[in-house]
Amino acid sequence: MICPKCGGNISVNENCSKCGVTYDKMIDDISHDEMIRLLKRIYELMSQHKNIEIEASLLACELVNSSLLVPVDMHDDHMSVAGVQNFNGKKFIMLFTDSEEYDKCNFNYKPRTNPFYRILELLEDDLDGFVINAGSMQCELSREYLKTYFDVS
């Protein structure tokens, strides 16, 4: 992935090829507030059609260490997760950064907090990715994005 500090290459358990910052130091410096800032920045850059590679890389670092709210409806033999379909017919699982964002969508699902690595397990073949904070800024994490930064097929 791209180092957010200098734009060099950085991988898990390796230092940046340019500035030498460690992967652990890079992700330790990112907070929940930083993730919200990055989501807003990515949304802004996407609407302006600018290069968002560094911000996307930073968001991936934050997501790795994050837990998000997932709307879940439990049944006797299975559970269902709240999803949404965009204007292009693509299907996404809804995720939320906090209860304030969750409350903006009115549905009868229960919020369950899950670490992002567990949320990735919910991505079935017929889904196109995730949408974060569907009631406000709607940041889509496409399957292509998830393939780039996470072990997703």
Side-chain angles (χ1 to χ4, degrees):
M1 75 180 57
I2 296 171
C3 176
K5 200 170 175 188
C6 72
N9 293 320
I10 190 166
S11 299
V12 177
N13 299 323
E14 293 182 16
N15 293 355
C16 174
S17 60
K18 286 186 179 178
C19 70
V21 68
T22 65
Y23 178 84
D24 289 340
K25 174 65 176 149
M26 180 182 67
I27 60 175
D28 285 346
D29 290 342
I30 301 175
S31 67
H32 177 75
D33 291 338
E34 178 70 358
M35 184 169 76
I36 297 295
R37 185 196 70 76
L38 291 167
L39 286 168
K40 288 178 182 175
R41 182 74 176 132
I42 287 171
Y43 181 78
E44 174 186 312
L45 292 170
M46 285 171 46
S47 66
Q48 297 172 6
H49 303 290
K50 292 187 178 179
N51 185 341
I52 61 168
E53 223 172 282
I54 291 176
E55 285 81 2
S57 179
L58 279 169
L59 179 60
C61 292
E62 180 61 27
L63 287 169
V64 163
N65 297 303
S66 294
S67 292
L68 297 168
L69 294 175
V70 181
V72 175
D73 189 18
M74 300 300 289
H75 304 282
D76 292 334
D77 57 346
H78 72 284
M79 74 172 196
S80 58
V81 179
V84 65
Q85 191 169 348
N86 71 9
F87 295 112
N88 298 325
K90 294 187 176 186
K91 298 176 187 175
F92 297 88
I93 291 176
M94 292 192 285
L95 306 174
F96 299 91
T97 54
D98 52 48
S99 57
E100 183 177 306
E101 287 294 331
Y102 183 87
D103 291 340
K104 291 178 183 177
C105 291
N106 294 326
F107 40 60
N108 294 325
Y109 289 78
K110 301 276 190 237
R112 300 284 186 233
T113 303
N114 283 286
F116 193 68
Y117 74 90
R118 295 287 312 265
I119 292 169
L120 287 170
E121 296 170 3
L122 299 173
L123 192 62
E124 297 175 359
D125 291 340
D126 65 330
L127 296 170
D128 297 294
F130 303 109
V131 62
I132 299 178
N133 295 339
S136 59
M137 62 185 147
Q138 294 192 1
C139 179
E140 289 182 3
L141 302 179
S142 68
R143 188 173 286 275
E144 292 76 30
Y145 172 84
L146 296 168
K147 284 180 183 178
T148 301
Y149 295 102
F150 304 99
D151 187 22
V152 171
S153 56

